[in-house]
Each structure stands twice: as structure tokens, then as C-alpha cells.
Amino acid sequence: MCLTGVQKHYGSLHVLRDIDLEVDRGEVIVVIGPSGAGKSTLCRAINRLETIDEGEIAIDGQPLPQEGKALARLRADVGMVFQSFNLFAHKTILENVTLGPIKVRKKSKADAEKRARELLDRVGVGHQADKYPAQLSGGQQQRVAIARALAMEPKVMLFDEPTSALDPEMIKEVLDVMVDLAERGMTMIVVTHEMGFARTAANRVVFMADGAIVEQADPETFFTNPESDRAKDFLSKILKH
Amino acid sequence: MELFWEHREAIALAFAYTVLLFLFAGIGSMVLGTVLAAMRVGPIPVLRWAGTLYVHLVRNTPLVIVIIFFRIAAPKIDLKFNFVDVVIPTGVGDVRLNNIFTACVVGLTIYTAAFVCEALRSGVNAVPLGQAEAARAIGLPFSGVMTQVVLPQAFRATIPPLANVQIALLKNTTVAGALGVAEAFVRMRLLIKNNPAELWTLFIGFALIFVILVEVLSFISHRLERRVRVS
Ligand SMILES: Nc1ncnc2c1ncn2[C@@H]1O[C@H](COP(=O)(O)OP(=O)(O)OP(=O)(O)O)[C@@H](O)[C@H]1O
Ligand SMILES: [Mg+2]
């Protein structure tokens, strides 16, 4: 996946400044940075939940189309996991996972359900398949959300602070699923402040501030010896907690 | 009371018109209102604008004027409904669905659709934004986002206001009476004219029948509401 010269404004606010980012197949990128840096906006731009003003975003060499059916199809290749889970409240866990494969990938119901059950087992919520989202804990819901994204067989997975709405004891169960996913070779872009995850699973840390990529390095280098003052300042703040 | 019994066939026939006006305009307004709501919450600016204009124009016009337009003004510009002429024999007299009836159905539909649209739109707005985003993120096109995720959830929040809109429609069918459809209100006026002494009986009697019809609607609405709440 390749972003070149991506710019985005909200009115007079320049939220993405000239973003260039290349992500190789199977690479795991952790995006980190202070609040308001534009991390969420970056994720949302990658699957076009937000439009961009300038620049290009390409997946497998194919630029993302602007509008319509072609965009919807390409969006299916990018899995997204939200901070607030966003499971479909009126559908069961199983239906949450099979909706995309049936309606977008045109799989048969039987195939989609078989695959969905495999994925739900893999993320450890197989026995909850017939419940509704509201009956599950946050950690369980987030794992279902991961299974829902995986069911589309995406080329890339985006995670926007997937654990920051969770109670501490549930964070690990979600991170474990993500580490497993990284080990299986999934290409991932993860916005998170979980440094443990960054250290174990990430190939690269991208540090953003004020809408720009300030610095990128492998996790070890970034956490022990950051180059920029912005990154040093930011790390000293989060490490104090 | 004997008066009602004596005229039971004519009254039944009149209420058949009322119910038919309601059914046709009810279904029509639901369909048109859903399309309008989709336009108003959709991503295409021209359609949004058109939907908004429609709602503001129609909602702020008195119903009588909307129906008069289709009944009297429209035929002058050759918008006639003469192609409709269906006779339903009932055994106690024919129910005739002609151009006048159709003009009234169209007027009621056009008018009620604006309210259906707004009821649906408020329901759509009650669905958290994240639901639509998640639906878009798995690659559903706009139509899929609406039919699979947003509308089923909006429907829940929408049943009570939609029921109100349809109840208003049921009562609004009486306006068609003023414009030539022999529905319940017309029959009531006729009976009052011929039996002035029974004014109050007739008044209360007809009102009661309307109350019963409305109660049936409320009952259906409550059942629906309970049904969707379980899931
Ligand atoms: N829809 C919007 N309209 C206007 N401004 C917005 C909108 N969404 C985000 N912004 C602004 O854009 C900037 C970047 O927001 P973004 O959500 O991408 O930051 P973030 O890095 O994800 O922060 P956080 O860590 O708090 O999630 C912020 O200043 C935010 O206020
Ligand atoms: Mg954010």
C-alpha cells in the first residue's frame, strides 16, 4: 500500500500534511502521536471514509477510486476496526460477520457461516455466535469486530485505537488476537499507544504530530532513542504514566 | 341507534371509501416517503436539495390545497386520472375508484409522504453514525448501508412517529369527502341533513367508528414496536 502527497483540510485546519507512507505486504505499522495529530483521519482516509484533498492512495498499485460502486468494492479490501467496535446492533454476532461476505462478496449463506464460525472460534467468541452485540463485553465485541473485518479477506487491516475504549483486563485478549494476526502475515496499520504491542508485533513505528509524519523507525530505536524533539517530548509524557 | 342500523349499508360503503383512501395513500406515502428520506440522508447533493425542497414545500401547504391542486387545477394542465376506473361490486352497492378518487389518493399520498420522510429521517438520525461507517467499511454500497444496517435500526425509533403520521392520514381522508369522494364524512353530513333531530347520535356514532379505526392502527403499531424490540 502506498500513500503519496496526501493532504486534507477541515476548513482552515490542515489535518493531513503531505503524507507519504509505503507499507509492504505483511508489514505491521504502529502509528503513534498526540491527540489531534490526525491519526484517525489518516485511517479513515485510507479506506475513504473521509475524502482527501490532494495526493493518491493506492493498494496493490491500484489507486482508490473517488466514488460509487468501485470504491465500495475496494473498501472491502481494507478491513477497519474502530475504537467503539460499531457492531451492527440489530444483528447477531454471526450475522455481523456474515453480512459483508454475503452481500458484498456474494458468498452463499452456508459458506459465509462456516467461515464466520471458524473466525469467531479463532478470536475466542465462537460460543457467542447467536447473541446480540449488547450481550457481550467490550473485549468480546472488539474481537467480533476483528472477525467481521477478517471475513472480508482484506489485504490490509486498519485499527484505530482498538483497545482504548476497553477495561484493562480486556485489553490483553484483544491484543493477543492482533499479535496472532500479525504473526500470520497480515498487513496492518495500528493506531495505538500500547507500547507492548508495538514492541512485540510492529515492524515500524510512525510518529505523527500536527497532521504530519514526524519520524519513523523500528520500535526499539523509536522507544529508546527517538530523533525528534516532538517524539522525545511525547514519549516522556506517556512513559510517566 | 336504529338510524345506524337502518343505514348500515350506506355507512359501511362510506367507510369502505375511507379505508381504501387510507390504504392506497398509506402505502403510497410510505414508499414515496422512504425514497424522499433516502434522498435527504444520501450522499448526492442535488437529491438532498430536491428532497429538502419537497418536504418544505408540501409540509407547509394545507392539505386541502394539495388535494384541490390534483382534483381541480391539475386537470386543467392535462394531468388527469381518467385512466383509472375500477368498480368493485360489494352487494350493497358499488365502490367506484375513478379519477376523482385517484386524484384524492395522489393528493393524500403527496402530502403524507413529506411527514413520512421526516419521521424516517429522525429515525435515521437516531442511529449512531458508527453503524453506517462500519457498514461502509465492509464495502456495502449506499443502498446496502441503508437497507441492511441503518433503516432496520431506524425503523425501531420510527414506529411511533410513523403511526402518528398514518393516524393523521386516516382522519385526513375526510378532506376527500369535501372534494367528491363519498367517504364517511359525506355520509355523515347527508344523514344529519335528513335527520337533524339525530345530530348528536350521528356525530358521536361516526366519531366512535373513527376512534375504533384509529385504535386498530395503534394496536398494530404497538405490536410492531414490541416485535422489533425483542430482536
Ligand atoms: N469531522 C471533522 N470536522 C472538523 N475537524 C475535525 C473533524 N474530525 C477531526 N477533526 C480535527 O482534525 C484533527 C485531527 O483529528 P484526528 O481525529 O485525526 O486526531 P487523532 O490523532 O486521531 O487524535 P486522538 O488521539 O484524539 O484520536 C483534530 O484537530 C480534530 O479536531
Ligand atoms: Mg483518533
Side-chain angles (χ1 to χ4, degrees):
Chain A
M1 191 174 73
C2 189
L3 287 77
T4 29
V6 172
Q7 310 271 4
K8 170 149 188 93
H9 300 258
Y10 278 126
S12 61
L13 191 67
H14 200 167
V15 275
L16 294 180
R17 292 172 196 261
D18 203 18
I19 301 284
D20 293 315
L21 184 66
E22 212 169 296
V23 183
D24 292 330
R25 185 162 298 156
E27 204 178 7
V28 177
I29 306 267
V30 161
V31 180
I32 196 167
S35 183
K39 307 177 300 287
S40 297
T41 311
L42 180 70
C43 279
R44 296 164 58 80
I46 290 172
N47 68 354
R48 277 281 156 80
L49 287 175
E50 298 280 356
T51 55
I52 54 174
D53 302 334
E54 266 177 60
E56 193 183 80
I57 300 171
I59 294 167
D60 269 350
Q62 280 194 58
L64 279 189
Q66 287 289 345
E67 289 292 340
K69 287 248 153 67
L71 171 60
R73 220 169 13 246
L74 258 170
R75 221 183 241 144
D77 290 341
V78 181
M80 176 105 182
V81 175
F82 301 86
Q83 183 175 348
S84 48
F85 331 133
N86 294 346
L87 292 181
F88 305 131
H90 63 305
K91 293 197 179 287
T92 64
I93 298 307
L94 188 67
E95 288 166 347
N96 262 273
V97 182
T98 56
L99 180 66
I102 292 171
K103 294 289 168 188
V104 179
R105 297 281 193 231
K106 310 289 177 204
K107 278 198 193 179
S108 73
K109 189 158 178 258
D111 286 351
E113 285 188 353
K114 184 163 168 282
R115 177 74 182 138
R117 286 189 192 279
E118 281 168 20
L119 286 168
L120 288 172
D121 283 337
R122 191 167 126 195
V123 300
V125 285
H127 54 292
Q128 316 272 23
D130 298 320
K131 292 192 179 165
Y132 284 88
Q135 296 169 288
L136 269 57
S137 75
Q140 290 171 329
Q141 288 191 50
Q142 193 61 299
R143 286 181 280 152
V144 174
I146 294 174
R148 175 176 68 180
L150 287 176
M152 299 304 291
E153 279 142 32
K155 294 175 179 159
V156 190
M157 287 276 284
L158 306 173
F159 295 82
D160 187 3
E161 308 204 29
T163 58
S164 54
L166 296 178
D167 293 338
E169 69 269 24
M170 293 171 188
I171 291 178
K172 188 174 177 297
E173 61 190 43
V174 172
L175 290 179
D176 285 347
V177 169
M178 291 167 60
V179 170
D180 173 63
L181 199 56
E183 281 166 358
R184 287 165 184 253
M186 175 60 75
T187 312
M188 294 162 66
I189 298 179
V190 185
V191 177
T192 183
H193 292 166
E194 295 291 334
M195 283 192 291
F197 174 79
R199 281 204 150 100
T200 30
N203 302 100
R204 187 159 33 125
V205 174
V206 169
F207 177 70
M208 279 184 81
D210 298 327
I213 294 179
V214 177
E215 173 171 356
Q216 23 185 324
D218 65 90
E220 216 36 59
T221 317
F222 179 79
F223 289 121
T224 52
N225 192 14
E227 264 175 36
S228 63
D229 291 340
R230 283 303 302 263
K232 279 178 199 157
D233 184 45
F234 175 74
L235 284 176
S236 74
K237 273 181 195 144
I238 61 167
L239 289 177
K240 248 181 241 157
H241 294 302
Chain B
M1 243 20 245
E2 300 91 77
L3 197 59
F4 276 93
W5 186 246
E6 191 184 320
H7 293 281
R8 63 188 181 280
E9 292 181 347
I11 292 173
L13 207 58
F15 272 101
Y17 277 110
T18 299
V19 169
L20 284 174
L21 282 168
F22 168 73
L23 282 181
F24 285 121
I27 293 167
S29 65
M30 289 294 285
V31 173
L32 182 57
T34 306
V35 172
L36 286 166
M39 284 165 68
R40 284 203 75 176
V41 300
I44 303 167
V46 186
L47 292 182
R48 274 185 151 157
W49 182 84
T52 308
L53 184 72
Y54 178 102
V55 168
H56 282 257
L57 214 64
V58 172
R59 201 176 45 172
N60 298 334
T61 309
L63 171 63
V64 187
I65 295 182
V66 176
I67 296 186
I68 287 182
F69 174 82
F70 286 99
R71 181 66 185 81
I72 295 166
K76 301 237 158 71
I77 54 166
D78 257 355
L79 182 59
K80 295 179 189 154
F81 302 100
N82 290 338
F83 54 89
V84 184
D85 198 2
V86 182
V87 177
I88 308 171
T90 61
V92 295
D94 293 346
V95 172
R96 187 153 185 208
L97 311 182
N98 56 7
N99 58 331
I100 297 171
F101 178 86
T102 311
C104 290
V105 166
V106 170
L108 284 166
T109 300
I110 298 266
Y111 179 80
T112 308
F115 293 89
V116 169
C117 167
E118 289 307 273
L120 282 174
R121 203 169 62 97
S122 70
V124 168
N125 289 340
V127 178
L129 204 61
Q131 295 286 311
E133 290 201 328
R136 286 159 71 200
I138 59 168
L140 287 172
F142 175 72
S143 58
V145 173
M146 293 307 284
T147 57
Q148 297 298 318
V149 176
V150 177
L151 288 178
Q153 291 187 59
F155 193 51
R156 241 179 261 207
T158 304
I159 293 171
L162 269 186
N164 283 339
V165 169
Q166 296 300 332
I167 286 169
L169 168 64
L170 180 59
K171 297 185 286 185
N172 283 341
T173 53
T174 48
V175 174
L179 291 156
V181 176
E183 49 67 71
F185 181 58
V186 174
R187 178 56 54 189
M188 182 180 91
R189 276 191 314 189
L190 207 67
L191 285 173
I192 289 175
K193 209 174 107 201
N194 298 336
N195 310 275
E198 305 271 6
L199 176 78
W200 288 106
T201 325
L202 285 165
F203 229 69
I204 293 167
F206 272 85
L208 263 179
I209 299 178
F210 268 105
V211 168
I212 291 167
L213 288 177
V214 168
E215 281 306 318
V216 169
L217 274 185
S218 304
F219 176 74
I220 295 170
S221 146
H222 281 300
R223 288 296 292 268
L224 267 178
E225 227 180 313
R226 251 201 314 196
R227 168 102 47 99
V228 291
R229 197 172 294 145
V230 183
S231 55

